[in-house]
Amino acid sequence: MTATHAEHAAHSHAHGPECGHARVQHGDHVDYAHDGHLHREHGGHWDECEPTGHVTHGGHEHRHGEDCGHARVQHGDHVDYLHDGHRHAEHEGHWDDH
């Protein structure tokens, strides 16, 4: 899965372990969930870290929901669930990796 590289302009907030935003391990970096976006530090600035394409998470039997025990992160017009180092989003009867 690839991700876009779009600088998040005018992002004055410095994310870090104590910033209060959800930390999401994403491949070789950490994303921070903030205002419905996922931000990652890159080259001295913050980028939007959004997946490109559609990646189905196969064999995902667990049904996420408000009481499933996994952290919920608002992501645009839907909710992602943090699970086993992935962000999962429900999509047309299956779960996608984000």
Side-chain angles (χ1 to χ4, degrees):
M1 172 181 22
T2 60
T4 61
H5 174 93
E7 185 172 345
H8 186 79
H11 188 74
S12 59
H13 176 75
H15 291 294
E18 304 300 321
C19 75
H21 296 114
R23 291 172 46 100
V24 181
Q25 187 64 41
H26 188 204
D28 63 353
H29 65 275
V30 172
D31 291 337
Y32 290 89
H34 183 235
D35 293 338
H37 305 276
L38 293 155
H39 299 163
R40 69 173 284 190
E41 188 172 20
H42 177 258
H45 61 270
W46 293 92
D47 286 347
E48 300 284 340
C49 192
E50 296 297 331
T52 56
H54 176 228
V55 179
T56 301
H57 185 85
H60 189 72
E61 301 300 322
H62 177 73
R63 296 291 304 168
H64 292 293
E66 289 193 27
D67 296 322
C68 74
H70 297 114
R72 296 166 43 100
V73 175
Q74 187 64 40
H75 184 202
D77 64 353
H78 64 276
V79 172
D80 288 345
Y81 292 88
L82 309 182
H83 184 263
D84 293 338
H86 304 271
R87 290 182 293 125
H88 295 163
E90 190 167 18
H91 178 249
E92 297 180 357
H94 63 269
W95 294 93
D96 286 349
D97 270 331
H98 274 192

